[in-house]
Each structure stands twice: as C-alpha cells, then as structure tokens.
Amino acid sequence: VISSTVMEVLLQRARVATANDTVLNSECAYSFHSPFTSDKGIVVSLETFMGTVEDLALSSTNDGIFIRIVKKRISTETEVMERKQPTTVPKKLGIGMDGGFASESDKFEIVATYSLVGLKKSGNGESVEIIEEIPYNESTKFNFNDEIRKSVESVINHSGLAVQQDLSVWQLDDEPNPVSKYAAALPFLDNGKVISPDPSTWKCEASGEAENLWLNLSDGYIGGGRKNWDGSGGSNGALDHFLLTGEQYPLVVKLGTITSDIDAADCYSYAKDEDGPVKIPNLAELLEKRGIKVSAMQKTVKSTAELEVELNATYAFDAITEAGAKLVPVSGPSLQGLQNLGNSCYLNSVAQLLFSGTIPELSKRYGTADSVIEHVLFQGISAKDAIADLLVQTSKLSLALTSGTFAAPTSQLNSDESLQPQHRLQPRMFKHVIAGDHVEFRTGQQQDAAHFAQHLLEKLDGAELGGLQRFVGYDGDFYPSSHLFSFRTTTRLVCSMDQKIKYKESALEILLSLPIPMDKAVMIEEEPEQKRQKSEDVQTKDEEATSVPTVSFFDCLNSWAADTTLNDFRWTHLENAVAKATSTTTLSNFPRYLFFQIQRYTMGDDWTPKKLDINLDIPFELDMTPYKSKGAQEGETLVPAEKEETHANADSEGNQIDEGALAQLMEMGFTMNGCKRALTAVGGSNVEAAMSWVFEHNMDPDFNDPIPDAKATAPSNTQDVEEGTVMSLVESLGCFTFDQVRAALKHTNGAADRAADWLFSHMDDLDSALASLVSNESSTTCSDLAKMVPLDDGEGKYTMIGMISHIGKNTGSGHYVAHMKRGEKWVIFNDEKVAISESPPLAHAYLYLYQRKDTIGSLHSKY
C-alpha cells in the first residue's frame, strides 16, 4: 500500500522500457556496484532506465522513482557435486560450448528481490533521502496498477546493456578445417603396401623413429613429422618424401589418431596452396586400401587439436602464466582482477598496466578519490551520459582497480568455489566506450594489445582535450595521458656524394618497436618441462632436452639503431639527384615511461603471421644513454635548411613522406608522383600498403600527376589536412565525398588508415557522426598541444615495472597475461586471477614497460 502522496506522484512518471531503450539493470553507471554488491544493490530509474548506487541516483534531478534490484548467488546441488568429483576433461578451447570448459550458469542459482523506491535530495542537495520503499514481488505486484507493473517488469526483464555489449561464448581459433581440394582425385599407388594395425611396427622409413608418424595416403609411405625451427621435433621424413616425389602426393594422416570417429583423425596437406590441417571426406576408403579398418583402430597419440587444448601444459603457457607453480592468490588495492568478457584479455592486460597503480600519474588523475562513487570527473554528468563518457568510465575502472573496494576476501581466494559476483569486475562499459567506434576492437575477436594501447591513449587524449574544464586545477597548461610515454626519434642521414648530413625528427610515438635479429640468436638447452613446441607434428619425449634460441635485448636495440643504407635516395640539396644515404635512428628524448614492443610476430613468405619463438635476454635495469641523439655535431656539414623546407614531400602538418620508402617504390619502375600519391594515401612510410595502393590505382588518369599543393587548395579552416591524402582516399574508397573524407582526416590527425576506418565504422549514420565531430571539436587540437607541451626528458636509466605476454600463433588470437611490480614483488594478472609471481616471464613478453629511474617516487606535477 502506497502511504505517501509524493510517492503516488512519482509513480505517475514511470515509463515502460521498449526493446529499443537502453536499460542499465546489472551495474551502476559510475562504479562497479551491482545488484550483488550489498543489501542495497542498485536502483534503476523508471524514467531514464539508468542504474546507479542510491547515492548517485539523483545526479541530474531532484527526485525520482526507482526499482531497487538486489541479488544473491546460491550454490546448486550440481556445483556441490562437481567440487566432490573430477569434471570432464575439456576437448576444445572454448567456454559454454560442447566439449569446452563448463559454464557456471548451471552451477548456481540467483535469488533476486525487488522494491519500488521513491528518492529525493536533502541536506542542500548533498545527500539522497528515501521517501518510501515498497517491496515488489509476486504477492505485492498486483497492489500497483497495470502501468506501474508494466514499467517495473519491462526493466526487470529487459536484456539490459550488459547483454547487448557482451559476448557470452568465446572460442579460441576454432575455425573448422577446410576440405582438401585434392581429396576426391587423390592419386593412389597400388603398390601392395599394407599397414599393420600394430602401432609397435610403425617406424619412419627415413630415420627409423617411432614417434610422431604420418602416413602418406597416396603411396603408403610412413614418415616423421616436421622438424622444428631448432632442429628438434620430427625427422621431417613425411615432408621430405612429399618433396622427393615431385609434390604429387600431398595428403597425410597422423598414425595413432585414427579411430572409428574418422572425423577426429589428424589430416594434413603439404600442398603449397593449402599447407595446413584439412578434412578428407574419403579418408576411411583410402585407409581401407592400405589394410586399415578404422572401426578396429584405437587412439594411441594425441591429435593436434588436443595438443592445442593442452596449452596449459606447454612451455609458453607454463612460463607466462606460471601454471606449474603453486601461486599465492592476492587481493586488495591495486590487486583487483578483471573478468574476461570473451577474448578481452588484451584489454584487461593493458588496463591493468595503465590504471591499476603501476603508473602513479594516471592513478592520481583517474583513481584518486575518497570512495569509488566520488570523483571530480563524475560531477555534472548524468547517468545516461556517464555510460558513454570515456573520462567517467576510465575513472570508474581505475577507482575499482586501485581502491580494493571490490576485492575478494582471503577465504574466497583459497576456496575451490568461484568468486562471488560482487567481486567479479566486468569492464563492459569501458570496452564499449573505448572501442565502440573501432571496426576491430568493438568485436568479440582477440586483438593486438600493442595496437589497443595506442588506440586507448589516443582516445583518452581526445576525451581529455574535449573536457579540459572538468579537471581540477586546469589553468591552460594541460598534459595529456599519452605525454607520459611520448617520445620522438631522430634520423641522421649521410649523403654518399658530399657527406652532408640531414637530421629528421619523427612524429610523436608511444611504443618503441624493436626487431628481433635472428642472426644474433644463440642456442641454449632447456629442460623439457620448460618447452613444448605446439604444432601439428610435435610430441617430444619427457627426457629429451630442447634447444631454444635466445636473443639479447641489446641486440634488438642495436638492430633498431643500426646504420641502414638507402639506395637511390633523392637529395633535395642536389636538385633531387639520386645518391646513397646512410641512415641512423636514435631517441630524441627519454620519456618518463618507455614502452617496448618486441616484434615476435612477422609476416611469412605466404603473407600469413609467423611467430618467432625465441627467448629474450632482457635486464630489469636498463641504460638507454647510448641510444640518445646528440644532434648536429661540430664539424658536420648539414643539408641547407632553406632547400629542405621547400621540399614537396611534406604534408600540411610538416610530416615527411619517407625517403627510403619512396626510393623502394621507384625502384619498381613507377613514377615519383605516382609513388608519392601511394605513400600519401597510406600515411607516408608503409611500403607494402603503398604497393597495394599502386597496383589498384596505377591506371588512374591522374596517377602520374603532381599532388596538389595543400596550401593552395585547402580552405583556411582545413589547412591541417593534406589535400593529396583527401583526394587519394576519395578515389580509393569510392563511396565518400571530399567533405566527409576531409572531416574524418581532421578527426584522426591526418592518418589515412584510421580515417578510412572511422568512415566505414560510421556508415550507418554518417551525417550525424560528422555533425558530432563539428560540434565537439575542441579549440585545442592534439597537434597544437604537441607543440605547446614540451616532451619529458631526463637521464636514460630505466627500471622495469611491468610486462604483457602473449601466448598464441599471432597477436589476433591466443591469450594475454600481465605482470607488474608491486613493491619488491612481481604480481601476475591473468584476467581474474591475481597472484604473487614466482617467476616473471622475462624471456617471453610481448610488451615491456620501463620507468625512468630519476622519476621514481616523484609524481609529475601536471597530473
């Protein structure tokens, strides 16, 4: 029974949520409080459908009507039984799918309680007071009229924002194997060869080895699996036989994997246009010709799929996740895990590295407040706006990670039962707001953590510049978050004709990407439990030691900084004459935090990603002093500056078309103007992308025409956009106008690839997106800020404070794990699992983060 007249008035404002409405019924817009967090749960407005904690419910109004949602998790009999007996061993790398890891949805029962709440501001608007609270359940719901019931039920039963943003089932690299094109017409040599069903008689016909054997389905030859990069593994007999027989018989099957379930057998095609696992529909028929009756065969070895699932027992996974060690779980401030949303470990690892306390400046800006529901960046932002506000969602994430508010108690950490929901943080809103307009990061696919870190800092910079007045103490001198990592490189070019020297400074960068010089690798023996190469043909003996290549980190640095000869380099001071140039790259400044990306992944000859499986000998302490640019030295003769300034290869922001890339393209026989157009279209230096552009556009009527002068053709309000890039993008994309492309380029600071990405990701409502760009454009741009804010610099001595490691065939699949320094100890952050690290995977990381030693204990004053 409603006892308050005010409550009756508030109830009249209740609306019914439709399928098109955004309903936040599982989490607070400003914090990670959920219906599970406490007995107060969250309250969801029946007017705006936004959920918050009670104290933040009236951020944009003086009163309102809400439905309070409180939930508790109770173990079911199934969950109790599973803890008493072993579960079924998973056969696939997936969750919530047949053969995969079990979902928790059937292990627990969720009990929910609801009540209608009227709230109003009190105490000069500084606090929230309950007007009246009425239970809402099966016995009381009919005390309310139909409209109230419809409103409440529409919120309770709505799929909610979390479901709309989330991916409930993930699977790792589970694309079905293709059917081999050679299977149907595969040649069969009737040579009388019959294969014994007794596994003890199987041996490689080349080496005599009895493990990792593959049967050629054409001639019955039994050969060993492929050798690994280091000479270990199989005898290579099966592949060698394929090559020696003129590549006529490409299909093989792994002996020991053949059973009555014929689809489970490991089949492989050595054909150059397939070269991978395949399906062979007529496998049973082909095997019967060799005397093998599949119905009588028993499985004796593991399939490659099972070896993939056993990633937890392999060298890389063990070393990176420390799976073999009995790690001590920890929880508390800066020790909070993040739940995997489905292939979101790349996001979790980067977020932990940036916002959980490793970078004190970012923790101060986004994670410092008296409580997780109080932050200066929340002020004046309604709940409806908060869910799409990057500054709010970054603060929400950082506050949760650094405060320990949602940390699980020790009793739960040491229990076999999974964490209670109130301790499980799901960064859905953060992902949605940071990646919602990105064609790749907004998907449920695994992504490259390095690319995501760059994207995140770029987006955060834009949000910070667009909301300068929201930061306390802003006085016109603002340092964006990326400034902490920003550096430039200096390239020194020496002309072979007259020994004159040209210095070029790069655009701002935040990642120093280092190549791996495999010619510098040395072979070091490791114990077998430290290494299991996962591939289609690997099964080493436990007692057999494996040699792995190790490369020194300084060899990587020296390779990056080494002298490079550029042939046919065009020198402006020689009237564009061609001459060799010797190029050397060094750092222009030493940033406060230095990110290293190790190029463990390269493109193979067939344009597929290849992993360089190496150990990196990298120190905790690092002296970068030898890699600092010294600038022009006494006695050097420099290329005349006035001629350099008139060079046509600069765009309107002063960025240069890479001379080396231009020379490489011109060596292929294309004209200078055509090559300039290609490089302009792809950002200035990417030769491979420029080649693709040339092949698509070399028949264009204006391919060999000079690029229009941006200063002469661009309107005054777009002078920071290269008109040649605009023209090239319009031509290459084919479905956007000059104005649309120009606006996108301006939004992405002239980056052609990101502009194209932005245009395609906003095609559904491009006019509105462009209008939003205009209305939200800040008077201070990133390029303006870069000129105003001096780069941080200091002594070149660094200490390692964090790393992100990757397990998998390429950065777009597999799994990411972060390790970070906490005091004198290292801590592993493996999604929700946080524990003291016994052996940080120094040799295996993909990204390393160092802090300049002269900044330790001294916060940057501008943060």
Side-chain angles (χ1 to χ4, degrees):
V1 178
I2 303 171
S3 60
S4 168
T5 304
V6 176
M7 186 72 165
E8 290 182 345
V9 173
L10 289 177
L11 284 169
Q12 295 175 13
R13 288 155 49 178
R15 297 171 49 226
V16 177
T18 68
N20 295 323
D21 284 311
T22 298
V23 176
L24 185 57
N25 54 13
S26 62
E27 183 177 295
C28 173
Y30 302 95
S31 73
F32 282 95
H33 286 88
S34 74
F36 295 94
T37 305
S38 71
D39 291 338
K40 290 187 174 182
I42 62 171
V43 292
V44 182
S45 169
L46 295 181
E47 300 173 72
T48 64
F49 311 126
M50 290 293 103
T52 65
V53 292
E54 185 177 303
D55 290 341
L56 297 177
L58 301 177
S59 59
S60 58
T61 185
N62 291 320
D63 53 27
I65 183 69
F66 300 83
I67 180 72
R68 188 188 300 278
I69 304 176
V70 179
K71 294 183 178 180
K72 292 187 182 297
R73 189 185 75 173
I74 301 174
S75 297
T76 63
E77 291 184 9
T78 301
E79 198 275 335
V80 173
M81 290 298 294
E82 284 192 359
R83 277 188 278 148
K84 291 181 179 180
Q85 58 187 2
T87 57
T88 303
V89 177
K91 301 297 183 184
K92 290 186 178 180
L93 283 177
I95 291 177
M97 57 183 299
D98 290 340
F101 294 90
S103 170
E104 294 188 357
S105 60
D106 59 344
K107 296 182 181 180
F108 303 99
E109 180 183 354
I110 304 300
V111 177
T113 57
Y114 308 97
S115 57
L116 276 164
V117 188
L119 299 176
K120 69 176 182 179
K121 285 185 177 179
S122 62
N124 297 322
E126 295 179 358
S127 60
V128 174
E129 177 184 331
I130 297 176
I131 300 171
E132 187 173 354
E133 184 161 1
I134 308 170
Y136 183 92
N137 51 48
E138 290 299 318
S139 61
T140 64
K141 62 194 293 186
F142 292 103
N143 294 337
F144 304 97
N145 62 43
D146 287 346
E147 288 303 310
I148 299 299
R149 286 200 306 274
K150 287 179 181 178
S151 175
V152 173
E153 297 292 336
S154 71
V155 169
I156 292 174
N157 298 316
H158 200 281
S159 60
L161 184 64
V163 174
Q164 294 166 359
Q165 293 177 349
D166 202 10
L167 182 66
S168 59
V169 176
W170 65 265
Q171 188 167 354
L172 180 63
D173 290 345
D174 193 52
E175 294 181 5
N177 293 335
V179 174
S180 173
K181 65 171 73 173
Y182 300 98
L186 185 72
F188 182 83
L189 272 64
D190 191 4
N191 52 13
K193 197 166 191 177
V194 176
I195 307 301
S196 168
D198 182 4
S200 65
T201 65
W202 300 338
K203 296 186 185 306
C204 173
E205 296 181 35
S207 67
E209 294 182 1
E211 293 185 353
N212 190 17
L213 300 175
W214 296 74
L215 171 68
N216 190 292
L217 293 171
S218 292
D219 62 4
Y221 183 90
I222 296 177
R226 289 183 178 181
K227 289 181 182 177
N228 297 328
W229 40 265
D230 60 357
S232 66
S235 65
N236 223 51
L239 177 58
D240 289 343
H241 179 73
F242 165 69
L243 298 173
L244 290 172
T245 53
E247 303 183 7
Q248 301 178 71
Y249 314 132
L251 301 185
V252 294
V253 62
K254 189 174 186 179
L255 291 174
T257 66
I258 304 165
T259 66
S260 57
D261 182 7
I262 196 67
D263 291 334
D266 254 7
C267 301
Y268 200 90
S269 172
Y270 289 130
K272 290 181 179 179
D273 57 349
E274 291 184 331
D275 196 19
V278 293
K279 287 183 178 178
I280 303 176
N282 53 337
L283 178 61
E285 177 187 340
L286 292 169
L287 291 171
E288 192 167 348
K289 291 179 180 181
R290 295 291 173 201
I292 298 177
K293 296 185 182 295
V294 296
S295 59
M297 297 298 290
Q298 297 292 319
K299 187 174 179 182
T300 59
V301 300
K302 292 170 183 170
S303 69
T304 56
E306 290 167 332
L307 290 173
E308 184 93 2
V309 172
E310 286 196 347
L311 196 60
N312 281 309
T314 64
Y315 155 76
F317 203 96
D318 270 354
I320 292 172
T321 65
E322 305 178 60
K326 295 182 179 179
L327 302 182
V328 178
V330 290
S331 182
S334 296
L335 297 171
Q336 171 71 56
L338 290 172
Q339 191 172 346
N340 194 311
L341 303 176
N343 290 321
S344 66
C345 51
Y346 71 94
L347 180 149
N348 291 349
S349 297
V350 172
Q352 291 281 12
L353 199 60
L354 295 180
F355 302 118
S356 68
T358 307
I359 312 293
E361 288 83 1
L362 294 183
S363 297
K364 180 182 178 184
R365 176 170 286 182
Y366 290 107
T368 302
D370 293 334
S371 80
V372 293
I373 61 173
E374 295 178 7
H375 198 284
V376 64
L377 293 173
F378 295 169
Q379 295 177 8
I381 307 297
S382 69
K384 205 167 189 68
D385 291 334
I387 61 174
D389 188 292
L390 180 54
L391 299 181
V392 170
Q393 294 306 318
T394 303
S395 300
K396 169 181 174 177
L397 179 65
S398 187
L399 286 167
L401 294 178
T402 57
S403 68
T405 298
F406 304 97
T410 305
S411 59
Q412 279 197 45
L413 296 178
N414 296 320
S415 169
D416 291 334
E417 184 176 318
S418 62
L419 292 178
Q420 287 286 342
Q422 60 264 37
H423 306 302
R424 308 187 69 185
L425 306 192
Q426 301 173 331
R428 288 191 187 93
M429 290 188 209
F430 179 74
K431 179 182 179 182
H432 183 71
V433 73
I434 199 71
D437 62 350
H438 193 280
V439 69
E440 293 177 344
F441 297 132
R442 68 184 180 187
T443 70
Q445 303 295 317
Q446 188 65 274
Q447 303 296 337
D448 188 327
H451 294 170
F452 178 73
Q454 292 173 306
H455 173 76
L456 190 160
L457 288 171
E458 181 180 310
K459 289 278 289 186
L460 197 55
D461 282 356
E464 289 171 346
L465 295 175
L468 293 175
Q469 304 303 328
R470 294 169 61 183
F471 291 90
V472 172
Y474 170 66
D475 56 4
D477 188 13
F478 185 83
Y479 284 60
S481 293
S482 67
H483 180 267
L484 294 166
F485 313 91
S486 295
F487 64 90
R488 296 183 190 271
T489 60
T490 298
T491 301
R492 182 178 184 267
L493 295 159
V494 181
C495 177
S496 62
M497 293 285 287
D498 57 13
Q499 301 305 305
K500 288 187 177 180
I501 297 172
K502 174 180 181 178
Y503 286 92
K504 291 200 308 180
E505 200 169 57
S506 73
L508 287 176
E509 301 178 59
I510 63 166
L511 280 175
L512 184 55
S513 185
L514 300 181
I516 296 177
M518 292 303 293
D519 58 319
K520 300 290 185 181
V522 294
M523 307 306 294
I524 299 177
E525 286 194 353
E526 288 187 350
E527 293 301 315
E529 62 268 17
Q530 292 179 293
K531 176 67 181 177
R532 293 289 183 274
Q533 173 74 9
K534 69 184 182 100
S535 65
E536 120 276 345
D537 53 6
V538 174
Q539 189 177 16
T540 57
K541 296 180 180 179
D542 285 346
E543 65 272 13
E544 182 182 19
T546 306
S547 296
V548 297
T550 297
V551 174
S552 165
F553 176 76
F554 292 102
D555 284 333
C556 297
L557 267 176
N558 292 335
S559 178
W560 168 79
D563 288 352
T564 303
T565 299
L566 304 177
N567 296 313
D568 300 328
F569 190 88
R570 294 185 181 273
W571 291 94
T572 56
H573 72 292
L574 299 178
E575 304 299 332
N576 277 338
V578 173
K580 286 185 178 180
T582 301
S583 172
T584 308
T585 303
T586 50
L587 288 170
S588 303
N589 67 292
F590 290 138
R592 180 169 287 249
Y593 300 95
L594 188 52
F595 249 132
F596 290 100
Q597 176 193 22
I598 306 301
Q599 297 174 13
R600 293 182 180 272
Y601 303 89
T602 61
M603 296 299 289
D605 295 336
D606 56 356
W607 292 87
T608 58
K610 304 287 184 182
K611 183 174 184 178
L612 299 177
D613 201 353
I614 60 100
N615 288 344
L616 190 67
D617 183 11
I618 185 170
F620 283 111
E621 306 292 327
L622 185 62
D623 188 354
M624 293 291 293
T625 305
Y627 304 94
K628 178 76 172 288
S629 172
K630 298 178 182 179
Q633 298 296 297
E634 184 178 350
E636 291 181 343
T637 304
L638 302 182
V639 171
E642 58 273 13
K643 290 191 176 183
E644 193 172 23
E645 289 170 358
T646 61
H647 188 23
N649 284 6
D651 66 19
S652 58
E653 292 187 3
N655 298 320
Q656 298 284 324
I657 290 176
D658 187 87
E659 299 281 3
L662 181 63
Q664 288 183 53
L665 283 178
M666 292 184 65
E667 285 178 355
M668 300 176 191
F670 300 107
T671 65
M672 177 183 288
N673 287 333
C675 295
K676 285 182 179 179
R677 283 180 175 273
L679 286 167
T680 299
V682 299
S685 61
N686 190 323
V687 175
E688 293 174 355
M691 284 173 57
S692 298
W693 190 95
V694 167
F695 291 138
E696 292 177 10
H697 296 275
N698 64 81
M699 300 304 293
D700 292 353
D702 61 348
F703 178 77
N704 295 313
D705 294 345
I707 296 176
D709 185 355
K711 293 181 179 179
T713 60
S716 59
N717 63 339
T718 60
Q719 61 184 1
D720 56 335
V721 175
E722 168 61 54
E723 286 300 302
T725 308
V726 174
M727 182 180 296
S728 296
L729 269 184
V730 169
E731 293 172 352
S732 59
L733 300 179
C735 54
F736 300 104
T737 67
F738 281 91
D739 289 339
Q740 290 170 341
V741 169
R742 191 176 289 112
L745 281 167
K746 192 170 184 180
H747 174 62
T748 58
N749 298 312
D753 55 345
R754 299 205 320 272
D757 190 37
W758 187 91
L759 287 165
F760 281 116
S761 65
H762 290 85
M763 283 188 70
D764 292 342
D765 194 6
L766 188 56
D767 290 340
S768 296
L770 290 170
S772 178
L773 286 185
V774 175
S775 63
N776 293 332
E777 187 176 301
S778 172
S779 59
T780 306
T781 66
C782 289
S783 58
D784 291 334
L785 196 69
K787 296 174 184 176
M788 293 188 301
V789 177
L791 289 177
D792 205 343
D793 199 4
E795 188 179 358
K797 294 183 178 180
Y798 285 86
T799 185
M800 190 188 299
I801 58 173
M803 67 187 87
I804 293 176
S805 308
H806 176 260
I807 310 117
K809 292 180 285 188
N810 58 69
T811 53
S813 65
H815 185 62
Y816 286 95
V817 173
H819 283 74
M820 279 164 278
K821 198 83 175 286
R822 293 290 183 262
E824 295 302 314
K825 295 183 178 180
W826 283 86
V827 176
I828 179 174
F829 292 79
N830 184 5
D831 288 331
E832 288 187 279
K833 298 177 182 178
V834 183
I836 299 298
S837 171
E838 291 187 357
S839 180
L842 277 181
H844 311 292
Y846 174 51
L847 296 173
Y848 296 89
L849 181 62
Y850 282 81
Q851 182 176 4
R852 216 174 63 226
K853 295 180 75 171
D854 61 10
T855 69
I856 296 175
S858 175
L859 278 174
H860 195 298
S861 61
K862 295 299 181 180
Y863 293 84

